[in-house]
Amino acid sequence: MLGRLREHLLSQSIRNKLLLTAIACVLLPAAISLLTYNALTQEAVQRQAMSNAQDSLQLVNGSVTGLFKSMLNIANYIQVDADMNSYFKIINAGGSVSSEPYAAFVQEKNILEQLESLTVIGDKSYVTVLLTNGKTYTNYSTSDYNPVKLTREPWFWELDKLRGFQSYWVATRPTVFSMEKLDNPYQISVARTLRLDNGEIYGYIIVTVMENQVNAIFDRLSAGQEVMLVDRSNRILSHKDRNRIGQELEYQFPEHGGSAGSAVMKAGEAQYLVADQFIAFNDWRLVSVQPYKQAAVNISSIFKRVFLFQLVSFFFFLLLLITLLRAFTKPLVILGKVTAAVQTGNLDVRSGIRGQDEIGRLGFLFDQMLDRVKQMLAEVSETQARKRKAELRMLQAQINPHFLFNVLNSIRMKAMRGGDQDSAKMIGSLSRLLRMTITNENDDIHLHEEIDLITCYVELMNLRQKEEVELKLDITSEAFMIQVPRFFLQPIVENAIIHGLGQSRGMIAVRAVKLDGAFELSVEDDGNGMNEEELDQLRRSIHTYHDGILHGREELRSRFSGIGLPNVMERMRMVFGDGFRMDVRSRQGNGTQIVMRIPERGKASDV
């Protein structure tokens, strides 16, 4: 079936192929995207619902934290106020702030007024300062509740473990204040210790608020969520339903490092969105519970409307795509008919398609191509004729060097027949040198070919001067095969013969060896050498050579060729880069040595 479908598609016109391909490329990804979008909608809805729940719970957390912070501020004030602490210490020690009873009464009244003023603004708080000698100070009437009873509470002796500004948060307990029990059956407290400089406890601070002040915040800010305050053991501390206080929360949250968390949990047949956030001052946390459908209903409806809009838009733009593709591909249909006519041999047909887009330019160029076909046929014939002439000139260029070599060989044979062996040998060496120089078209040659060149050169020089120069070669097999520029050794050997040896008898040694990713090649003569001043000038000239000009002193020209060594340096640097090194070593009366470091091709050059 796939084979038949493939054959059917291949038999269609380019126009139909483009239409089918465009529809497939739009339809398949769009269908997959819509299905994927629909599948991921639930996940997106859940994430957004969790985010909304966290945002709402964050508002509640801020208000509850503010309430608890105000309780801590009261305790902080009493704990750090110097006058109040001095008074409490004196009273706890059994002393009196004044020997006069009235002054002592006034001082005590001032302390009570300070405690009362701490809760004038904001939510009502019950403040108790209980000294270890049994003396108490409160902002409420002791007839409403005797604060000494606090020492009988099971949590009271936990306060002895506190240090500094540490606080002990007392979980929700039945209200002890008789005036509050009817309307506010539960209370929440925070306690701290008052200590002497030696760390001994001399009193306690207990700040209490009604639990209703907490669940009132839940009703004001929760917006349809069921919000509660729970402790670390999941026991409910505050809830708008008083009957839930003290019960254990049925949802078990995974540990999430004390940060905010959200999850969708199942209870019975229904799903609930549960979010929690920790209170900053203790190990309690706020938990909100909301039916998941209720939390997600508004967000889900938005996703459904977006899905419907995408579906309608898809079909509309699909129809628009088909219409535009038919209009855009109409010139291609015309071009197809024109090419069919050209195939039959009709070179006079033209498409007439014009425009600024690619198809318009294609039609124009196609018509222009047909106009040039006849002209091109004539141009091809003319090109073939020129090609034949070029081939003849190339053959002639190849004949000229061979003619020169043949004439030199004829002269050499004639000199030999005439008994002039020296002339014959010189002509033979020159012929070999020219042949190696002219016939090889490559710029780079192997080192062994360069050695052959300088060998012929030394032979020629020995024939033209009175005393012979001995050429010694010490080259490893690896070095023989390295690629080097043609004729780079000849200027160095020429300097050694003419200037180093002074065209007298002597020895020139050429050595090459491989050392650590490079080849060291040296040319050494046993001539007169140079003094330090001449050596320094030569070294500077090698590194200051530019555009074929030697920037050294004129007397150097009497010792070495004006452009020989600098030219070699420049050529080798162009081929091998900065990895190439050249050094000149010489001493007066002990000869001269040119040492070159040639990096291997493909190796990183040294810096």
Side-chain angles (χ1 to χ4, degrees), residues 87 97-98 100-114:
Y87 178 83
V97 296
S98 177
E100 297 181 6
Y102 180 76
F105 170 77
V106 171
Q107 185 66 27
E108 182 177 2
K109 184 180 178 182
N110 289 336
I111 293 297
L112 294 176
E113 287 178 351
Q114 280 186 272

Side-chain angles (χ1 to χ4, degrees), residues 33-34 99 104 129 141 170 226 232 246 266 284 304 312 341 377 383 396 420 432 474 512 523 548 593:
S33 298
L34 289 174
S99 58
V129 177
S141 174
V170 183
E226 180 186 0
R232 178 65 72 176
K266 194 170 184 180
W284 299 346
K304 288 179 180 178
V312 173
L377 291 175
T383 300
Q396 184 64 36
D420 190 353
R432 289 196 304 274
D474 183 10
V523 179
Q593 183 183 31

Side-chain angles (χ1 to χ4, degrees), residues 196 240 270 440 473 489 501 571:
L196 299 173
K240 63 181 179 181
N440 195 332
L473 302 175
L489 280 180
L501 299 176
R571 291 175 60 202

Side-chain angles (χ1 to χ4, degrees), residues 83-334:
D83 293 338
M84 296 182 75
N85 274 269
S86 297
Y87 178 83
F88 292 147
K89 289 176 182 179
I90 293 173
I91 297 299
N92 188 66
S96 176
V97 296
S98 177
S99 58
E100 297 181 6
Y102 180 76
F105 170 77
V106 171
Q107 185 66 27
E108 182 177 2
K109 184 180 178 182
N110 289 336
I111 293 297
L112 294 176
E113 287 178 351
Q114 280 186 272
L115 293 179
E116 184 69 31
S117 66
L118 292 176
T119 58
V120 171
I121 300 175
D123 296 316
K124 174 64 177 176
S125 300
Y126 292 85
V127 182
T128 303
V129 177
L130 176 62
L131 303 182
T132 55
N133 64 357
K135 184 71 175 176
T136 62
Y137 297 86
T138 66
N139 66 343
Y140 55 88
S141 174
T142 54
S143 62
D144 191 21
Y145 175 70
N146 185 4
V148 177
K149 292 181 180 180
L150 290 171
T151 59
R152 304 171 194 166
E153 294 288 338
W155 52 265
F156 185 81
W157 301 110
E158 294 290 331
L159 304 184
D160 293 345
K161 301 176 183 179
L162 301 178
R163 292 290 183 272
F165 288 91
Q166 289 182 335
S167 304
Y168 182 85
W169 289 89
V170 183
T172 304
R173 301 185 67 79
T175 299
V176 297
F177 304 100
S178 57
M179 295 295 291
E180 296 282 358
K181 286 183 179 180
L182 183 62
D183 296 329
N184 302 302
Y186 294 101
Q187 66 181 31
I188 296 174
S189 303
V190 62
R192 280 190 180 172
T193 59
L194 294 172
R195 294 179 180 269
L196 299 173
D197 293 339
N198 60 5
E200 180 183 351
I201 298 175
Y202 71 87
Y204 304 90
I205 307 169
I206 300 95
V207 181
T208 303
V209 296
M210 297 298 105
E211 179 273 336
N212 274 7
Q213 295 176 233
V214 179
N215 66 59
I217 297 173
F218 299 163
D219 290 339
R220 187 171 69 251
L221 299 177
S222 58
Q225 295 172 288
E226 180 186 0
V227 182
M228 63 200 79
L229 179 67
V230 299
D231 62 12
R232 178 65 72 176
S233 59
N234 260 16
R235 190 168 63 89
I236 298 176
L237 302 179
S238 180
H239 196 285
K240 63 181 179 181
D241 184 1
R242 297 175 179 176
N243 296 325
R244 297 286 304 276
I245 296 176
Q247 295 180 0
E248 185 176 349
L249 183 64
E250 59 270 27
Y251 305 104
Q252 296 293 330
F253 276 85
E255 292 296 330
H256 44 72
S259 60
S262 303
V264 177
M265 299 183 179
K266 194 170 184 180
E269 296 298 324
Q271 285 186 318
Y272 293 89
L273 176 60
V274 183
D276 74 332
Q277 292 184 6
F278 280 84
I279 302 296
F281 306 115
N282 48 41
D283 59 355
W284 299 346
R285 55 185 173 148
L286 291 170
V287 177
S288 70
V289 180
Q290 186 179 16
Y292 179 70
K293 288 184 178 179
Q294 178 184 345
V297 60
N298 293 332
I299 307 172
S300 181
S301 63
I302 294 174
F303 278 109
K304 288 179 180 178
R305 288 196 293 270
V306 172
F307 178 81
L308 181 61
F309 174 77
Q310 287 183 331
L311 194 62
V312 173
S313 300
F314 164 72
F315 283 109
F316 172 76
F317 284 106
L318 180 63
L319 293 175
L320 180 62
L321 175 64
I322 293 174
T323 302
L324 292 176
L325 281 176
R326 291 180 63 85
F328 293 156
T329 55
K330 184 177 180 180
L332 292 177
V333 176
I334 297 174

